[in-house]
Amino acid sequence: MVNSPAAQGGKYDNVYNVVGRTIVGTYNYSPALYASRTQEIVQHKKVTDLAPYIPDVYKLSDVQFVLWADQCRQQGAQPNVLRYVFKHDVVTLVTKNIMRIAAGLEPELEEKQGQGEDLSAVWPGLQFSPDSQQFKALMGTPHGKGVAYLILQHRNEMPTKNIESITVFTTSYDLEYNLLFTLTEQ
């Protein structure tokens, strides 16, 4: 339900594969982010409060869980079968920089257009466990926090889930930055 006369955008494109026990995030921009980026439009309309332009349910973790649980229900599975959360083509600069530092590279000072730099981690990439500093840093990124929220806000449905490892890698063909969060078994 949207609590505004006109939603201001945002887009969540994900693939839900119950058989593969995976959620793939392909293109995700929250309504709040979109609304904040259209501040000039809002100011032109003399609107100062963005809250009425943001849907009631807008956090990626909540939207993903609702859709994941629905797909599981349709296929006769429980939501706690989730094993992987894959973030494809990460473009958020802060997350990319933490990925770069985890891979032993220097951070970028600004967003670059076009191809990224190889993390020297084409699949199977670099895998980090919870006891590593790289894992902890990656969990502090917007992408890591989102996966944590997905699990923690739905403890009733996924009581035993934790993040077992995080893998960072690039693709060999266009050097997109990717994150794979592997969750504990049921």
Side-chain angles (χ1 to χ4, degrees), residues 89-108 110-117 119 138 141-143 168 170 174-179:
D89 191 15
V90 173
V91 297
T92 306
L93 186 59
V94 66
T95 302
K96 285 176 66 174
N97 277 337
I98 297 297
M99 292 171 71
R100 291 174 59 78
I101 292 167
L105 299 171
E106 292 293 319
E108 294 178 354
E110 60 186 43
E111 194 69 42
K112 293 181 180 175
Q113 296 296 322
Q115 292 185 340
E117 183 177 351
L119 293 174
L138 289 163
T141 67
H143 293 77
V168 300
T170 53
D174 60 6
L175 302 179
E176 294 172 337
Y177 286 45
N178 301 285
L179 285 166

Side-chain angles (χ1 to χ4, degrees), residues 2-186:
V2 176
N3 64 2
S4 69
Q8 291 296 309
K11 184 173 184 175
Y12 294 140
D13 282 343
N14 296 280
V15 177
Y16 300 91
N17 181 339
V18 175
V19 173
R21 303 166 54 195
T22 305
I23 297 174
V24 179
T26 58
Y27 184 90
N28 292 296
Y29 290 94
S30 75
L33 176 65
Y34 185 82
S36 71
R37 288 186 175 171
T38 57
Q39 189 77 29
E40 314 81 55
I41 295 169
V42 173
Q43 287 174 349
H44 178 69
K45 293 180 181 178
K46 302 206 185 311
V47 174
T48 57
D49 181 15
L50 295 178
Y53 293 88
I54 299 172
D56 294 333
V57 177
Y58 67 92
K59 296 281 188 188
L60 175 60
S61 56
D62 292 330
V63 173
Q64 280 183 327
F65 183 78
V66 167
L67 295 172
W68 172 254
D70 184 58
Q71 287 296 310
C72 288
R73 184 183 45 73
Q74 289 179 33
Q75 296 182 39
Q78 295 298 314
N80 66 342
V81 300
L82 183 61
R83 179 80 166 130
Y84 306 101
V85 179
F86 176 56
K87 303 293 186 170
H88 171 69
D89 191 15
V90 173
V91 297
T92 306
L93 186 59
V94 66
T95 302
K96 285 176 66 174
N97 277 337
I98 297 297
M99 292 171 71
R100 291 174 59 78
I101 292 167
L105 299 171
E106 292 293 319
E108 294 178 354
L109 296 178
E110 60 186 43
E111 194 69 42
K112 293 181 180 175
Q113 296 296 322
Q115 292 185 340
E117 183 177 351
D118 189 354
L119 293 174
S120 299
V122 175
W123 185 255
L126 301 171
Q127 187 177 73
F128 303 107
S129 63
D131 60 343
S132 72
Q133 292 300 314
Q134 294 93 334
F135 180 96
K136 293 169 185 163
L138 289 163
M139 286 306 301
T141 67
H143 293 77
K145 290 176 186 177
V147 177
Y149 288 144
L150 175 67
I151 296 167
L152 294 172
Q153 291 178 323
H154 304 285
R155 272 292 181 214
N156 289 340
E157 297 85 357
M158 299 189 295
T160 61
K161 289 294 172 193
N162 288 303
I163 300 169
E164 184 176 288
S165 67
I166 304 172
T167 304
V168 300
F169 64 98
T170 53
T171 54
S172 58
Y173 50 90
D174 60 6
L175 302 179
E176 294 172 337
Y177 286 45
N178 301 285
L179 285 166
L180 177 65
F181 294 83
T182 302
L183 309 183
T184 53
E185 291 288 346
Q186 303 185 53

